[in-house]
Amino acid sequence: MSYFSLTPRVFIGKNAINEAMPSIEQLGTHAMIVTGPHVGKSPMVKNLCELLNASRIPHVVFDEITGEPTTDMIEKGAGIYRNNGCDFLIGIGGGSPLDSAKLIAIAAEGDRDFVSLQGKNIEGDIPPVAAIPTTAGTGSETTKFAVITDPDKNLKMLLRSEKIVPQIAVLDESDTQDMPKSVTASTGLDALTHAVEAYTSKKCYKPVDSIAVTATKRILKYLPKAYHDGYDTEARRQMMLAAFEAGICINNSSVTIVHGMSRPIGALFHVPHGLGNAMLITEALGFVADSAYSRFASLARETGTATEEMTDKEAAASLISAIDDMVRICKVPTLREYGIGEQEFMQAVPKMAADAIASGSPANSMREVSAEDCEKIYKSVYLESGADKTISCTA
């Protein structure tokens, strides 16, 4: 690989939005702010609107992103965007509002058939986006990806375009301090998944490897602290940096089996993206590590979860074990605890496995993954829910 993709302008630190405004002013003349109903009523959005007013930039607030973006939400947002004569977008909130800003940008020039765009590099006129994350996990503020669900087809799709990489990212850890513990957990584990999958992907890329190591180290150290004390400023700052770094990682080295398998769970059972990753991560990464011990071992040694004396297999297992410890610390619910019935889940397994493979993400794993493998993993994750198990790296 010879191409490295990154958000052009990044502002980091307390009150970073003030420093970012001169750059935001250059994006266009009429803004659409995309967010959810909770953040839409927050001081953060009020402050953003005041800054836009001071810059004499007309704007409209679309605060109807309730949960992960669906085709209905995006089509409504795109209509409002066009009707108000907007020419750029500002996403503020968690990964869903940020992804929604990107998706509305894709749909801005007219209705899009999102299903037909899956797996393609989307071209055409796409307006610029600025991203202001209020969670630390998705990395959407620096990626060319956006996830959307078609509820009629029970299909969650990954769309990509270099043109939706945000032109500006504003990272202020104080925006994340009010995150509930459950959101801190799911978004933090999402970031951990990004870093580990990027490092162990077939598309792994040397300049990205060191970033993945740094992100993994930060998350293993600071996620428990942020989870237990949301007002630990240093932990919040480190997690926001880690999420951004992990976003850079997947933007350039992509994701693998965990993301491919979590999207169908989200589409069919409405499990939030980061939580779905967390439910699957130990089992799925343990499966693919079986044919990539050296790569998983390298990350384990680089991040201090394994010693030099360990064999590659032992080191790889120690990394999976450290990840599982994070899942337990963050009290991630099992599929059963989330309320998904066994019969309903098992009936959905063949479709989920087929959709996972069709997404292309499992194919980035260093171990070949079939639909049958995905079915076995889904069943194992469900049947072992809540059971103590030995962490291993075997099929």
Side-chain angles (χ1 to χ4, degrees):
M1 180 183 288
S2 59
Y3 180 76
F4 189 86
S5 179
L6 180 66
T7 299
R9 286 169 284 181
V10 184
F11 298 85
I12 302 173
K14 193 169 180 62
N15 298 317
I17 185 63
N18 297 80
E19 295 182 41
M21 280 310 298
S23 294
I24 290 174
E25 291 172 8
Q26 298 172 21
L27 295 183
T29 60
H30 198 133
M32 171 182 257
I33 298 171
V34 182
T35 189
H38 176 69
V39 175
K41 296 178 178 65
S42 71
M44 292 178 286
V45 169
K46 181 180 179 182
N47 181 52
L48 175 59
C49 291
E50 289 174 352
L51 290 171
L52 290 170
N53 287 334
S55 298
R56 297 183 179 180
I57 297 177
H59 53 276
V60 60
V61 178
F62 178 58
D63 62 357
E64 299 182 37
I65 305 305
T66 53
E68 296 182 349
T70 65
T71 49
D72 292 340
M73 288 182 206
I74 300 309
E75 287 165 4
K76 182 174 183 179
I80 294 172
Y81 177 95
R82 292 191 294 268
N83 292 338
N84 282 272
C86 300
D87 57 6
F88 74 101
L89 299 105
I90 304 172
I92 178 168
S96 293
L98 269 55
D99 272 12
S100 295
K102 297 176 180 181
L103 292 161
I104 291 171
I106 291 171
E109 298 302 318
D111 293 336
R112 296 268 199 173
D113 178 3
F114 290 109
V115 174
S116 69
L117 296 175
Q118 184 175 206
K120 298 178 181 178
N121 187 45
I122 302 166
E123 300 289 351
D125 294 329
I126 298 177
V129 175
I132 307 172
T134 63
T135 64
T138 70
S140 186
E141 66 272 13
T142 190
T143 71
K144 59 190 172 188
F145 304 114
V147 176
I148 184 169
T149 298
D150 185 331
D152 294 332
K153 296 181 174 63
N154 286 325
L155 180 64
K156 183 176 281 193
M157 299 163 284
L158 179 69
L159 304 186
R160 63 183 173 89
S161 173
E162 290 291 342
K163 295 187 176 183
I164 62 171
V165 175
Q167 294 299 298
I168 296 167
V170 180
L171 311 180
D172 183 342
E173 67 273 9
S174 62
D175 291 342
T176 70
Q177 289 184 331
D178 288 333
M179 265 196 296
K181 293 181 77 168
S182 60
V183 178
T184 298
S186 62
T187 55
L189 289 166
D190 189 22
L192 180 61
T193 309
H194 291 163
V196 176
E197 287 196 304
Y199 192 92
T200 59
S201 166
K202 282 181 182 176
K203 297 180 179 179
C204 62
Y205 182 31
K206 280 291 183 186
V208 176
D209 289 351
S210 59
I211 303 174
V213 169
T214 302
T216 303
K217 282 183 176 179
R218 288 191 206 272
I219 296 164
L220 292 176
K221 180 177 181 179
Y222 288 102
L223 177 55
K225 295 180 180 182
Y227 178 75
H228 289 301
D229 179 6
Y231 289 91
D232 183 329
T233 301
E234 180 62 11
R236 289 297 196 192
R237 185 177 75 87
Q238 293 290 342
M239 283 304 300
M240 178 154 269
L241 290 173
F244 180 74
E245 290 170 332
I248 294 171
C249 292
I250 62 168
N251 208 39
N252 293 281
S253 294
S254 199
V255 293
T256 64
I257 185 172
V258 182
H259 276 72
M261 290 187 64
S262 71
R263 291 187 207 110
I265 291 179
L268 290 172
F269 299 105
H270 310 294
V271 176
H273 171 71
L275 181 57
N277 284 345
M279 290 171 167
L280 288 163
I281 188 170
T282 301
E283 194 81 23
L285 288 183
F287 175 81
V288 296
D290 187 46
S291 293
Y293 289 138
S294 63
R295 192 66 181 164
F296 279 81
S298 173
L299 182 57
R301 295 185 181 109
E302 290 278 3
T303 55
T305 62
T307 64
E308 293 297 329
E309 292 74 25
M310 289 180 174
T311 65
D312 282 354
K313 184 175 181 179
E314 290 169 340
S318 75
L319 176 64
I320 303 301
S321 182
I323 292 169
D324 194 59
D325 286 343
M326 288 294 101
V327 172
R328 294 173 187 269
I329 288 169
C330 291
K331 298 182 179 178
V332 173
T334 65
L335 290 162
R336 289 181 190 273
E337 291 168 344
Y338 193 76
I340 301 172
E342 182 174 347
Q343 183 177 358
E344 183 184 12
F345 185 82
M346 293 301 174
Q347 288 176 342
V349 162
K351 174 177 169 50
M352 291 194 297
D355 288 348
I357 294 298
S359 75
S361 296
N364 295 330
S365 305
M366 290 187 174
R367 176 175 182 172
E368 185 176 344
V369 181
S370 67
E372 291 74 19
D373 294 326
C374 291
E375 289 192 24
K376 290 178 182 178
I377 294 169
Y378 279 131
K379 291 175 181 178
S380 178
V381 168
Y382 192 95
L383 294 173
E384 292 185 10
S385 289
D388 290 329
K389 57 180 181 295
T390 301
I391 303 300
S392 62
C393 296
T394 57

